[in-house]
Amino acid sequence: MADNTAPTPTAEDGSSQLRSTGGRVDPDAPPVAVTDSWSESLRIQEGAPDRNLALELVRVTEAAAIAAGPWVGRGDKLAADGAAVAAMRNVLSSVSMDGTVVIGEGEKDEAPMLFNGERVGDGTGPRVDVAVDPVEGTTLTARGMPGAISVMAVAEAGAMLDPSAVFYMEKLAAGAEIADVVDLRLPVGENIRRAAKAKGTDTSNVTVTILDRPRHEKMIDEVRAAGARIRLITDGDVAGAMAAVRPGTGIDMLLGIGGTPEGIITACAIKALGGVIQGRLWPQSDEEREAAIAQGLDLEGVLTTDDLVRGDNTYFVATGISHGDLLDGVRYEGDRVHTHSLVMRSTSGTVRNVYAEHRPDKTHSYEEAAREAARRGLV
């Protein structure tokens, strides 16, 4: 029978060489990684957050949510927040990163744990900026209302805008479908008309979410005058912005004045989701105005997503505390505690839903951390 095996090509020096250009010239030489341009673009620069960090971070918000869970509906928002802060801080200490809290529970003299400027992580990993809100929606938690979450965001060191000068800002958040046509500088009615046109629908099919505050009465009237619908929320404008950005929620835009720290956390998520957040700083006093000017901040200009968080290597993680549109709340079934989390990474554009089961006998340390912190007067 004829031998149909092709002869092995040889190099000029007589050594064998593989036909595939992706193979090794010398079969005894150690393998060399072969990457295309796409693979190369996913490489993480030395010192930048690593993709494995995502699963470490979700443990942090899970711990905070589980610690706050027993306080849902019990009317004590300070106890719920204190429990979540202690549990979050406890688990953060084990995460492989060298983090600095840029957005936390306040200045050091106001917040003994997770204060602005505190170093978190075990110090062995990448240098990062950290933003935390152990309970976004403390009132929601205390009243047993929907939508309370535990949330944190991480970006490369120096990437996050320092929001300490001005606590509030005007905001507009919208999904990718209408991101290119809306602008915070336009009248409310014009943004609604543009959104409707981009969606190929009527303004009556546009829904805007707004924090239910007296300061928004005029805006609410303008939205209704334009023919759009409104979903008022009592608290939690991170979750509100996420609803506006994620498809299939029935919400098209978030408008109104909310916390600047929450805007920066939202920007980290939008880096992964697509869409837009725009903000304009809204000082509440002459003191805040002077502090912003001293910090070199523009009080008239519109801050874009990239102004709030620079670069494209951010993480956003959130775990539900009480059941809501964005996430299921902490649920107790038999000998298991169930949690639902979102984990997002901008570099890959990945959005993961993480449903987890926890054994109470293994997670009691979260609540014990809260009790210990309370005994020591740390929360």
Side-chain angles (χ1 to χ4, degrees):
M1 185 169 63
D3 183 0
N4 294 323
T5 305
T8 302
T10 57
E12 290 183 1
D13 62 0
S15 61
S16 63
Q17 91 181 15
L18 300 178
R19 296 178 66 88
S20 169
T21 58
R24 287 173 278 159
V25 172
D26 182 355
D28 296 322
V32 177
V34 179
T35 60
D36 56 23
S37 59
W38 180 81
S39 299
E40 188 66 29
S41 70
L42 293 182
R43 287 178 177 270
I44 306 301
Q45 295 179 354
E46 184 177 358
D50 180 84
R51 67 190 67 179
N52 294 328
L53 186 60
L55 291 180
E56 288 201 68
L57 295 177
V58 76
R59 294 189 301 108
V60 176
T61 54
E62 285 175 346
I66 290 170
W71 294 98
V72 172
R74 293 178 61 184
D76 193 339
K77 66 181 184 181
L78 294 180
D81 192 52
V85 168
M88 177 175 275
R89 181 64 180 82
N90 192 37
V91 177
L92 261 177
S93 66
S94 69
V95 176
S96 298
M97 66 181 186
D98 180 4
T100 301
V101 177
V102 175
I103 298 168
E105 294 292 284
E107 299 302 319
K108 185 174 182 178
D109 57 348
E110 302 169 358
M113 300 174 71
L114 296 179
F115 55 83
N116 298 348
E118 183 178 2
R119 299 289 290 275
V120 293
D122 68 2
T124 64
R127 291 186 59 245
V128 294
D129 285 351
V130 177
V132 297
D133 197 346
V135 181
E136 204 231 357
T138 54
T139 299
L140 299 176
T141 303
R143 294 182 178 179
M145 297 172 66
I149 63 175
S150 177
V151 63
M152 71 176 299
V154 169
E156 295 183 26
M160 291 182 184
L161 177 72
D162 179 357
S164 58
V166 182
F167 189 75
Y168 284 99
M169 70 178 183
E170 301 173 66
K171 297 179 191 175
L172 181 156
E177 188 177 15
I178 64 173
D180 293 335
V181 300
V182 293
D183 193 312
L184 186 62
R185 293 165 291 195
L186 294 173
V188 169
E190 178 62 20
N191 275 322
I192 290 170
R193 286 186 286 273
R194 289 184 174 207
K197 183 177 180 181
K199 293 180 62 179
T201 188
D202 187 77
T203 58
S204 62
N205 291 319
V206 173
T207 302
V208 181
T209 191
I210 301 174
L211 276 169
D212 190 4
R213 300 287 187 272
R215 62 180 178 261
H216 292 146
E217 288 179 0
K218 182 175 181 291
M219 177 178 288
I220 289 169
D221 290 341
E222 291 174 340
V223 171
R224 288 174 175 155
R229 295 174 292 190
I230 294 175
R231 182 183 293 183
L232 292 173
I233 55 176
T234 58
D235 292 278
D237 65 349
V238 171
M242 290 298 95
V245 172
R246 297 195 79 199
T249 64
I251 304 296
D252 300 294
M253 274 189 289
L254 173 134
L255 292 173
I257 296 165
T260 304
E262 288 82 354
I264 294 168
I265 292 173
T266 299
C268 288
I270 287 176
K271 292 271 187 173
L273 287 169
V276 66
I277 181 169
Q278 297 176 356
R280 183 161 46 204
L281 295 173
W282 194 72
Q284 299 178 85
S285 64
D286 290 339
E287 183 181 0
E288 274 198 357
R289 182 176 294 275
E290 290 169 5
I293 292 171
Q295 195 173 316
L297 299 174
D298 183 358
L299 296 177
E300 304 300 325
V302 171
L303 298 167
T304 66
T305 308
D306 287 331
D307 292 324
L308 296 171
V309 181
R310 296 190 301 275
D312 189 30
N313 198 5
T314 65
Y315 294 83
F316 172 94
V317 293
T319 302
I321 298 172
S322 61
H323 187 80
D325 293 336
L326 181 67
L327 290 162
D328 298 334
V330 178
R331 192 174 81 255
Y332 303 89
E333 290 186 1
D335 64 347
R336 292 291 186 271
V337 179
H338 297 257
T339 57
H340 177 201
S341 304
L342 278 176
V343 184
M344 307 181 192
R345 185 174 185 235
S346 65
T347 302
S348 60
T350 306
V351 178
R352 289 184 171 90
N353 281 275
V354 178
Y355 295 88
E357 296 180 11
H358 311 264
R359 285 172 50 184
D361 61 323
K362 299 293 186 181
T363 60
H364 69 277
S365 61
Y366 302 155
E367 294 180 37
E368 177 56 33
R371 287 191 290 268
E372 176 64 20
R375 283 195 293 269
R376 295 167 58 191
L378 296 177
V379 292

